[in-house]
Amino acid sequence: MARYGDLDYGWLTKHGFGLGVALFALGALGAIAGPALFGPLPGWGKTLLADSEIAGIIIAFLSVVLFGIVLPLTE
């Protein structure tokens, strides 16, 4: 039996990276298109979009490193 159960590392890596890219794209497009479509964004909106970009980068990087490299090597 595998150490971490039946984890599908390929699926987790691809979908984790996709989630990170989607969060980053949502934050970046919202920061660009939000003021053009709706006028000036409130402070909480700018913070939410900036945090979404940062979280997207971190999630994309960590999912590749963790599920694509580290966990398969520890089996």
Side-chain angles (χ1 to χ4, degrees):
M1 179 178 216
R3 184 175 186 177
Y4 299 107
D6 288 333
L7 293 178
D8 185 5
Y9 297 123
W11 188 90
L12 289 169
T13 302
K14 285 187 247 182
H15 287 85
F17 183 77
L19 174 66
V21 169
L23 277 172
F24 178 78
L26 179 71
L29 290 175
I32 294 169
L37 295 174
F38 305 112
L41 296 175
W44 63 267
K46 291 179 184 178
T47 303
L48 181 69
L49 293 172
D51 288 347
S52 174
E53 291 180 44
I54 294 167
I57 292 169
I58 292 170
I59 289 171
F61 177 74
L62 286 180
S63 67
V64 170
V65 170
L66 185 66
F67 296 119
I69 299 170
V70 175
L71 287 178
L73 288 176
T74 61
E75 290 267 331

